Structure formats: structure tokens, C-alpha cells
Amino acid sequence: WGGTRKAITTFQGKEAMNAAVGEGVWETAGVASDRTQHLLWRMQNADYKICKPENVVIAIGINNLGGGETPEDTAEGILAVVDEARMQFPDAHIILLGLFPAGKEKQAALRVKCDKVHDILSAYGFKGVRYVNPTRWYVDENGTIKDGLYGSDYIHLTSDGYKVAADKIAELMQ
């Protein structure tokens, strides 16, 4: 996404998020190539507790699947991040974005794994967390990724793909 932290080296979504919610009013805890365990470790060991955000949006897990973890293990990691966020930010509105779709076609192996994670998360009895599956934001009626929203790997968003997500996130935060 981008942001202002020193560890951030990529900024693909920064312009879109600034346009959607405002410049200087958001930050990212994510780092390129993050897995759930990396984010969880930072949440538990860094100074995030000093933050008092109004909204916390969680989008993590695709690198776990891409790294060979099972959908079940990936979902377990996502839930651990959500639990930590609820403990650290008890007054925040927490939004869990399930995995963004990956793989161009609905039957792509990585997409099938993403869908399994969505099945697990959607069946979970969240309390104090709003779960949203963003797949419909990116696919056509056949389940194929819409043109122009992803790079050629069908994992990474383009500027237009980040704009879609940023606009939807802004709506969710209202």
C-alpha cells in the first residue's frame, strides 16, 4: 500500500488510499512479502499499542498460500492477527478483508485455495469484527479477474486495482 513508515519500500496503493480517505490519516503495518506470522510478530513486539486508530483494516494471507501453507493454516494465521488486533485496539472498528482473489480464472489453483480460506473465515463467528470477502470487487460474472486490475501474475494489484480496494475500504469505514 505504501505509508510513511521507514520499513515501507513500495508505494503502489498510497495514491489511491490518500485519494479515498485522505492524506496523512492512515498508515500500513504491512511489509512486502508479509505472511500472517510476520505481521503477528510485529503486532506483539512493536509499539502498535500506542496507536489509537478509529479503524483497523486487516488484509493478509496470500503470501502464506503462495508459500505453500494450507488454507486451514492460513486461516488460522489470519484469525490470530484478528485476535491480536481486537486485544490491542479494543475501541477500533475492525474490518477483516478476506483474501483478494488470485489467479486469473476461477479454477486457478491459488484461487481455489483463496476460496477455501473464505469458506473458513465466513463460517467463523466473529465478534466485534466485520468480515468482507473482496472477491466480487475484482471478478466478472464468470469469476475471471477483470482486465486492468491485476498485474500479469494475477496476485499483485495494479494502480487501478488499488483504487478499487481503497474506494471500497473508504465505504466500509463510514
Side-chain angles (χ1 to χ4, degrees), residues 4-5 18 24 33 42 47 62-63 68 73 80 83 115 153 169-170:
T4 60
R5 293 179 36 246
N18 284 345
S33 300
R42 281 197 312 280
D47 291 333
I62 193 65
N63 292 325
D73 287 343
D83 287 344
D115 290 343
D153 64 0
I169 289 168

Side-chain angles (χ1 to χ4, degrees), residues 1-4 10-20 22-24 26 162 166:
W1 282 97
T4 60
T10 57
F11 302 93
Q12 300 96 328
K14 187 174 183 178
E15 185 177 320
M17 191 60 83
N18 284 345
E23 190 169 345
W26 66 277
Y162 275 107

Side-chain angles (χ1 to χ4, degrees), residues 5-6 48 64 77 85-86 107 149 161 171 173:
R5 293 179 36 246
K6 290 179 185 174
Y48 292 117
N64 293 75
R86 288 184 62 228
Q107 300 80 15
L149 300 180
E171 289 175 18
M173 293 186 337

Side-chain angles (χ1 to χ4, degrees), residues 60-62 65 74 78 97-101 113-114 117-118 133-135:
I60 189 85
I62 193 65
L65 288 180
T74 299
I78 292 168
L97 294 181
L99 298 173
F100 288 62
K113 291 178 183 179
C114 288
V117 172
H118 285 297
N133 179 342
T135 300

Side-chain angles (χ1 to χ4, degrees), residues 16-174:
M17 191 60 83
N18 284 345
V21 301
E23 190 169 345
V25 299
W26 66 277
E27 188 54 79
T28 182
V31 176
S33 300
D34 253 354
R35 292 185 184 193
T36 57
Q37 58 268 38
H38 304 141
L39 178 57
L40 183 61
W41 185 91
R42 281 197 312 280
M43 290 176 71
Q44 293 170 337
N45 295 283
D47 291 333
Y48 292 117
K49 290 179 178 93
I50 65 171
C51 300
K52 301 294 181 212
E54 185 176 325
N55 295 287
V56 172
V57 179
I58 300 168
I60 189 85
I62 193 65
N63 292 325
N64 293 75
L65 288 180
E69 292 182 31
T70 66
E72 293 79 9
D73 287 343
T74 299
E76 183 179 327
I78 292 168
L79 293 172
V81 168
V82 169
D83 287 344
E84 186 67 25
R86 288 184 62 228
M87 285 188 329
Q88 289 202 25
F89 311 114
D91 298 324
H93 176 225
I94 297 176
I95 302 165
L96 171 60
L97 294 181
L99 298 173
F100 288 62
K104 182 177 182 177
E105 304 296 331
K106 186 175 183 167
Q107 300 80 15
L110 191 53
R111 178 86 68 84
V112 170
K113 291 178 183 179
C114 288
D115 290 343
K116 176 65 177 170
V117 172
H118 285 297
D119 291 344
I120 295 167
L121 295 177
S122 65
Y124 190 79
F126 288 105
K127 293 186 192 300
V129 175
R130 182 174 181 185
Y131 170 69
V132 177
N133 179 342
T135 300
R136 62 183 169 80
W137 303 347
Y138 293 96
V139 300
D140 64 19
E141 62 279 351
N142 297 317
T144 302
I145 299 286
K146 295 176 187 173
D147 289 340
L149 300 180
Y150 278 73
S152 60
D153 64 0
Y154 291 97
I155 295 173
H156 294 92
L157 299 174
T158 63
S159 295
D160 288 342
Y162 275 107
K163 182 177 179 344
V164 168
D167 290 345
K168 295 291 189 178
I169 289 168
E171 289 175 18
L172 292 168
M173 293 186 337
Q174 295 179 7

